[in-house]
Amino acid sequence: MLLEEALSSSGTSSSSSSTSSGNKSTSSPPLPPSDAALALLSFLRDELPAGGISAEKRFINLFSLIVDRAFGELNRPQPPSATANNNNNKSSSSGTVTSPGGSTYSSPASSPSSNKLASTYTTTTASSSSGQDKLYQHADGGWLSLLNTPKPTGASSSTTSSTSSLHHSQKTQSLDNDPIVKLLRAPKQSNNINNDSYSQQQQQPTLLNALSAESIHRPQIKFKFPLGGLSPFFKELIQDWKICYLQEVEMQNSAASMAARGGRGGAFGASTAATNTTTTAATTIEGMVGKENATKILYHLLLNGPNEQVELKKYFQSGGGSGNNVLQQKNMNQLSPPRAAFITPMKQQHHPQMNTPRTTSTTNANNNEPNLELTMLEYYLLIFLRFPLANQEWEIQLQDQLRRMRYGAATTAYGQRVYSHLMTSYLKYYLPHGVYHRPDGGGGVGTTTQRVDGGAPLDRTAELFLRLVIEFWVEGQVSPPTFAEGIQRYRNGRSAFLSTSSSSASSSSSSSLNPTLRDSLELTQPLKTTYISPPSQIQIGVLNLVRHLVSDVSVRNMVKTASMSCQRRQTQEREGRVPTTTTDDDDATAKISWCLPPAMTTIQPSIFNYIRLGLTSGSIHERRSIFHRALEAWLVWVEPWNYVMKRRAVVVTGNNNNGSSSSSATHRAGEFLRNAAATVSSHRVEYYPAYVKPKPTSPSTYSSQWEAYVVANLNLYTVPLAIFLKRARELDFSSTNEYPRSLALVQRVLRVFSKQVVTVLNSVLNRRADALSASLATMHRDNLKAFCPPSSWTLADCQLDATNLLEEVFSQYQKRKNEMDIFDRIDARLNALFSGKIGSDETALQSLLSQVRYLMHLPQDYQVLPEEPKSSRGWGSFLGLGSRKDGSLLVENLLVPERDASGRLTDKGRAQIYSGMRKCNPIDVHFVGDPLLARVKTYEIPVLVELTVQASNYLNQKLGLVSEADVAEGQTADEDTLSKHYHEMERYQKTLFRINLRFLADSRNIIFAYVLWWLFRTIGGFFSSS
């Protein structure tokens, strides 16, 4: 079987088309995913390197089939002349050939053969007519959409017979040995500087190797991707590109008069004139405010000028299909103000071009949607990173997984596990970590180091990969407003409110128009569109991306150097010997270097917005929501010191092509012993970052060597904290089950802000920092650009939100504690005894209070709630045998408003609250009504409650403890619910003694009585038998 037929997802249609042309041979069904991946690995390893131009042509033909099999066919709209295109696809062309998937490319030398290739373009367009909801979505059946691990067939082709035994369907098998992972993963980089046999065996042929080579040596080969595949998800991206193109057209028109003098007309393409002319023209191209990343992606796609994307240029020049070019230009120029700062496009890279003509794009005579012309590598990366957004099968699998989790049998789908594994390999390949320097300063025998320094600039492909991740995953479909837009909206709202208030003074109204750090949540909310939460797989991918960037050793090395410079400068300023000339101290007077690697610097504004939007718009009560995923990413970003370097032994083994991995206990024990003996010189040792997740109550491990990191991420510490403090009051502190989780979440956030971290933050926010730290903060603000908040914000602005959160936590805890009966107290004491945390709640609350005191600069004598006298609790009140004499309602307190005997506010008490002289204490909210007639509790049996209440009323009436008139008044009174409860409470307080049998309906009492009966019976039977 030919490899093309094996990869074709429509083997029957291919055979039918061949029989219609006279060929009576039947096609075999397509190979299973494992066998197909092994066949492709064999082709990449054996045929492609030695096959010459014919093998290269065949690989180009196979590329679209590989993409369709891996991701699923892309559902495209029906073209106007689908029938004519079908006929054209069956015949070979001398210039261009339409590949499966509808992508047109130019051949390296001559047109590649298209025999026995089924056109998936017509298949996908036919399926797209079923509905617009699946337009530009990937069809089901791709390798990365599979639910279960694919099994190989018993009979494999001759090409893969020697390697098909590698794959097994066991769940314990590592994904590294999966054929699909081997085909699609990134090339493994050698961790050893010396080019020995160990590093040679790591170089396995992958699809990414071949795509990278083709993109370098055959950059003129382009595959088409419809622009409509981006517009449903990233409308602002298309809008930014349109503005850039229209500005390019205006520049070309204005530069027409300079053509005779050698000036170039555009700012995107390769330089054909003087360098200074190119730079001057390039710096005038501006996109939308806050969409610098989209503009940079466009620069990558326009390596050789605007004509690199012919269809895109014609589409935007024609007004996006409206046919009114001039009017469209004017409208687009008014959509957004120009960007304040412009980043110069990347330096152009020249590759050897072949003398074959480029493929001309189809015309947009009917205002059809244009196509992006991408190299093979660009096309693959775009499809791969867009796949979680355009795959409906994953959402169905996720719902099934959540349903299975309720029964404890949830497993992640095979395709999602493979995708996460591939993404991890791509991160390691395109964004490699730097070199780890051991504390002793040496490497030692057998120590491996990495070739690439993480602080080096990113190459063109790595930067494109990172910016696609930012655009598709981090920035998402909804961008937050810039701070200028948010502040303007804030002032408009406050001005409208103050204009209706006649009692506001002019001085107070002017100050209230300026937002503070406390208003960060309001300033983050989207302006025009509602927030769309990214899919769960993207949320996990962003979290893994943050972990990968933060764990880079280059961050530790660069930050440590910058922190030493800042601390040296602080010492000089304290001693009054600040150098004034460069000859005194070159290190102290020179401007400090930026202390973050290029990848973290590029993604910092986008991850800042991702965290802000997630904390603002996510659901706080759903544990798998974007709120908790963004919170986790934020905590990882602001605490890089939780990553520690550990070492492990690298085992050098022979070629493992004919064996299988072992995950037995013996294998794991051997790995543990090798790591324990890693200090022996005969072992090859490598260092890797390991994340040590801190406990909510554990102290921070921050040290002074991370001071520059805190300054370089100043607003990532302050703004998300302000949003969290305001939203944390939505957590459930009243429930017994949810209270520990909610308190632990607050503790996890506040533990980050230790005294050392708060000191560094306040020194910069209050403008008391040294010159080098202030320079780092300025560079950080410049990197955030339009999303940088005002520099006048301080942590003290959030005092009110912090104290409100403390009052909520303390009041709910005190209220739960007061409402606990003897069984609840015994249960709490036993739980604390067995968990070893006796008195942990009070200790945790006091620790929380001390953290907030220092963080918000509160007085040391600040108390959250006023102290109340302890009231005795007797057995009579517990069993309901006596009257309720709650003296706490009548306690005279300077902070408590005046109340009557029943606990209701008097007119004087209301006036005290209105004037601000008194405030209500949440602890003062007591039960209103008769405990005998209260609602059924969760631990009570409803049937027994009704019976015990009737029995109690019958006994009280027969014994004369309660008059029949009082009972009849409580049942027939025609009044509102609140007044009825107050009257019940008044009658209850007037009762000196009565019988309350409701405790017999308590399930806990019933279980306790049954246990006592069983013990007496067992013990009595033991003594009677003896």
Side-chain angles (χ1 to χ4, degrees), residues 724-725 728-734 739-740 742-747 750 801-817 841 844-846 848-849 852 864-865 922-923:
F724 176 81
L725 290 177
R729 293 194 64 186
E730 303 176 24
L731 295 171
D732 189 3
F733 296 99
S734 60
Y739 174 80
S742 301
L743 181 61
L745 190 62
V746 176
Q747 290 174 329
L750 294 183
D801 291 331
T803 53
N804 290 340
L805 177 60
L806 286 178
E807 291 180 1
E808 180 72 17
V809 176
F810 275 70
S811 63
Q812 292 294 343
Y813 170 75
Q814 193 67 29
K815 188 176 181 181
R816 288 175 50 253
K817 185 177 179 182
D841 290 341
L845 292 179
Q846 291 302 320
L848 195 68
L849 176 59
V852 175
V864 180
L865 298 175
I923 304 300

Side-chain angles (χ1 to χ4, degrees), residues 307-337:
N307 293 328
E308 188 85 4
Q309 304 290 339
V310 180
E311 295 188 24
L312 205 63
K313 180 179 179 180
K314 293 181 179 180
Y315 180 76
F316 288 144
Q317 285 182 350
S318 62
S322 62
N324 192 350
N325 189 17
V326 179
L327 179 62
Q328 187 69 16
Q329 291 184 34
K330 294 181 180 180
N331 293 336
M332 291 304 299
N333 289 333
Q334 296 173 359
L335 285 177
S336 177

Side-chain angles (χ1 to χ4, degrees), residues 919-981:
K919 68 175 182 178
C920 294
N921 190 349
I923 304 300
D924 295 337
V925 181
H926 297 276
F927 172 75
V928 177
D930 189 350
L932 182 62
L933 305 177
R935 293 183 301 175
V936 180
K937 306 295 190 302
T938 57
Y939 48 81
E940 292 179 328
I941 302 175
V943 177
L944 295 181
V945 170
E946 184 177 357
L947 294 177
T948 54
V949 169
Q950 293 178 0
S952 300
N953 290 332
Y954 177 79
L955 292 176
N956 290 328
Q957 294 177 16
K958 290 298 182 181
L959 296 176
L961 301 178
V962 177
S963 63
E964 296 182 2
D966 293 339
V967 176
E969 181 184 358
Q971 295 177 353
T972 60
D974 187 12
E975 55 188 354
D976 60 279
T977 305
L978 182 60
S979 301
K980 180 179 179 180
H981 290 328

Side-chain angles (χ1 to χ4, degrees), residues 1 204 247 472 592 901 941 969 985:
M1 179 191 299
Q204 299 291 338
Q247 290 181 0
F472 291 176
I592 190 170
I941 302 175
E969 181 184 358
M985 186 176 65

